[in-house]
Amino acid sequence: MTIPSPVGPQNEGSKNAAPQNAAPHNEGPRPAAPRPAVPRSGGPGGGPARALQRVTASALGPYQSAVVRIGFAATYLFFLLRELPNRHELYGPDSPWHWDLARQLTNGNEAFSVLMWTDSTVWFEAVYALTLLSAAALLLGWRTRTMSVLFMVGVLSVQNRSIFMGDGGDNVVHLMAIYLVLTRCAQVWSLDARRAARDAQRAAAGLPPLRDIVGPALWVLLGPVLVAATLMGGLGGTWWLPALLWTIWLSAAAWWAVNRYLPHGEPRTLLDVLANLTHNATLAVIMAEVCLIYATAGWYKIQGSRWQDGTALYYPLNLDYFTPWPALSDILGASGLMVMVLTYGTVIVQVAFPFTLFNRRVKNVLLVAMICEHAGIALLLGLPFFSMAMIAADAVFLPTAFLVWLGARATIGGRRLLSGLPGRSRTPGKPGASGPAHGPADPSEAGSVKDGRGGTEEPRLQGGGGGHTLVG
């Protein structure tokens, strides 16, 4: 709580203009008003109570979770597009890992894959196309809750069909596709956030929200599919996947009913609290997962003799499979000092990163180093999708101020690009004027308020925040 300072006589005169012939008041000094006691964070119940309120009242890391969503959706979308000509040999009917072999393996390890429902080529093409479309929609943040579920189903189905085709990057995408279902990752930088901002503007103007038809239609369409898959035993042999899918589908109906009949009641508050707790817990799991990946990779490298003597990087630089730019690899591999510095630097960064999370400056420096390391892996070793997946996972630790600045620069650049297109006028208020026609691209531009710490607080999104439900 901020206590306003006493107003001096000159300030009072500026606020309440007195006549010039008024006699001046000859008052003595007044005793200062007693300041109310403010509980300190170290007091009993102060810190834990605030922490509990923070994790239940809001979904933390809206920009970080949005970057993770965009990064992993883009990674798998570009991967599927690159392998489009080779999809039949990798995951389809022409794969060396035949459908019968895949069927035997999935029966043994109880893995889930809708491609195991039938060996029809038409079914494979439909699943591949659906995975492509869901990745693109998740990238844009359109019906994010539905698309995150379809994206998870597509990723698990394609990867479990031919598990020997993947690498470490595929394992990260596999895990993050599951985690994204549990996060409110469309609070910013999404079409869902833009739609929520438009609804907030209509509510402020006293207008009812636009009627949503797409959300209920998706819910009705996916319901029979889920029922049929459950009855036919097509959800794999684990218990958690059917439980997750049924929980999401049923909770979507609960969200729709509460938003329609009790939008400001206690049930809506309870659903928000549960969604925030799930989001924040999942975000903590993602952070722990990234730290675990780097810690295990770094400590295993320490045990290798090639990493101990500083020559480990030399060998992949001389393998034809990992040299997309042979001339560049030869130049780097010819320098013993550079090979040793990069080898030891990789181990140091990976081992030290989990221990630097409580020091913001050191963490940011190592974060830049790891992102540069993965960019170098993509360039020198020809592993672009592995690097994209790891950079997207690293983004969960990016500072909020940097992400807000980056989003503002992207918005300005997009508007300048659109204003330069033919047929678009630069004059506001005229046909063809540049700028968003249906609200800002970032909800922080409309409806955001100051949070008292110099930042902004995101507006409460319609329908659970960030496309939380299947029904929008």
Side-chain angles (χ1 to χ4, degrees):
M1 172 179 288
T2 302
I3 306 300
S5 58
V7 182
Q10 68 275 14
N11 293 335
E12 287 186 3
S14 62
K15 291 184 179 179
N16 304 318
Q20 294 182 358
N21 57 356
H25 295 280
N26 194 8
E27 297 180 355
R30 298 178 179 179
R35 303 175 69 91
V38 179
R40 298 178 177 270
S41 60
R50 276 197 294 271
L52 181 61
Q53 182 182 11
R54 182 172 175 81
V55 300
T56 56
S58 62
L60 304 178
Y63 293 95
Q64 288 81 358
S65 57
V67 172
V68 171
R69 182 200 85 230
I70 294 171
F72 280 99
T75 298
Y76 211 65
L77 174 64
F78 294 151
F79 171 77
L80 294 178
L81 289 176
R82 191 195 71 170
E83 300 299 344
L84 195 61
N86 308 314
R87 64 189 184 280
H88 288 277
E89 289 76 14
L90 290 176
Y91 306 105
D94 299 333
S95 173
W97 187 249
H98 196 262
W99 187 86
D100 293 333
L101 296 175
R103 183 70 173 177
Q104 296 178 24
L105 181 61
T106 54
N107 288 337
N109 59 14
E110 299 182 340
F112 164 76
S113 175
V114 298
L115 292 177
M116 294 295 97
W117 292 358
T118 175
D119 59 350
S120 171
T121 304
V122 176
W123 176 245
F124 167 76
E125 297 287 0
V127 172
Y128 199 92
L130 182 61
T131 307
L132 265 173
L133 295 176
S134 63
L138 185 63
L139 173 65
L140 298 175
W142 181 80
R143 304 291 171 176
T144 309
R145 184 58 49 192
T146 306
M147 294 304 117
S148 64
V149 174
L150 295 180
F151 178 74
M152 178 192 69
V153 170
V155 169
L156 298 184
S157 299
V158 172
Q159 290 187 355
N160 290 337
R161 166 63 178 84
S162 300
I163 62 173
F164 301 107
M165 300 295 178
D167 55 19
D170 293 312
N171 295 333
V172 177
V173 175
H174 190 107
L175 293 173
M176 294 300 174
I178 301 174
Y179 296 152
L180 284 175
V181 175
L182 302 174
T183 61
R184 309 181 84 169
C185 55
Q187 298 178 96
V188 296
W189 299 341
S190 66
L191 297 180
D192 287 343
R194 175 175 293 190
R195 187 175 68 252
R198 288 200 301 266
D199 289 341
Q201 291 175 358
R202 291 178 61 87
L207 300 174
L210 297 176
R211 186 178 181 183
D212 184 18
I213 300 177
V214 178
L218 289 173
W219 186 82
V220 172
L221 179 64
L222 294 176
V225 177
L226 182 59
V227 172
T230 303
L231 295 178
M232 296 175 60
L235 297 179
T238 59
W239 63 269
W240 64 267
L241 183 61
L244 176 63
L245 294 178
W246 275 105
T247 300
I248 293 174
W249 190 73
L250 294 176
S251 64
W255 274 94
W256 180 85
V258 168
N259 286 331
R260 184 175 179 86
Y261 300 108
L262 295 170
H264 305 291
E266 292 184 359
R268 170 60 193 268
T269 303
L270 176 61
L271 290 178
D272 269 325
V273 168
L274 293 177
N276 291 334
L277 284 174
T278 303
H279 167 91
N280 296 329
T282 306
L283 204 61
V285 171
I286 293 176
M287 294 179 180
E289 189 78 38
V290 176
C291 292
L292 183 63
I293 290 174
Y294 284 119
T296 53
W299 286 105
Y300 271 111
K301 285 182 175 67
I302 289 178
Q303 302 176 33
S305 59
R306 301 305 179 190
W307 292 96
Q308 293 175 6
D309 58 27
T311 62
L313 185 62
Y314 174 81
Y315 298 98
L317 291 176
N318 289 273
L319 293 176
D320 293 337
Y321 186 77
F322 292 108
T323 53
W325 312 98
L328 186 60
S329 299
D330 292 340
I331 294 174
L332 184 60
S335 174
L337 178 62
M338 185 62 67
V339 170
M340 182 184 67
V341 169
L342 292 178
T343 301
Y344 286 151
T346 299
V347 176
I348 292 173
V349 168
Q350 292 183 352
V351 172
F353 178 74
F355 300 100
T356 64
L357 295 182
F358 299 101
N359 189 309
R360 181 181 302 177
R361 294 182 179 179
V362 179
K363 182 262 295 182
N364 291 339
V365 171
L366 290 187
L367 193 60
V368 172
M370 288 192 300
I371 292 176
C372 293
E373 172 193 340
H374 292 303
I377 291 175
L379 179 64
L380 295 174
L381 302 183
L383 298 173
F385 300 110
F386 167 78
S387 299
M388 288 180 64
M390 292 308 303
I391 291 175
D394 295 340
V396 73
F397 295 106
L398 288 175
T400 301
F402 169 74
L403 293 177
V404 172
W405 174 85
L406 186 64
R409 299 286 79 76
T411 301
I412 295 174
R415 288 179 177 176
R416 290 178 178 176
L417 179 63
L418 292 177
S419 65
L421 295 178
R424 298 183 68 91
S425 171
R426 295 176 181 268
T427 305
K430 292 185 179 182
S434 62
H438 303 288
D442 191 336
S444 61
E445 299 178 10
S448 59
V449 295
K450 294 293 181 181
D451 64 356
R453 297 184 301 273
T456 57
E457 183 181 26
E458 294 302 324
R460 183 175 181 178
L461 301 181
Q462 183 73 15
H468 178 72
T469 67
L470 290 173
V471 295

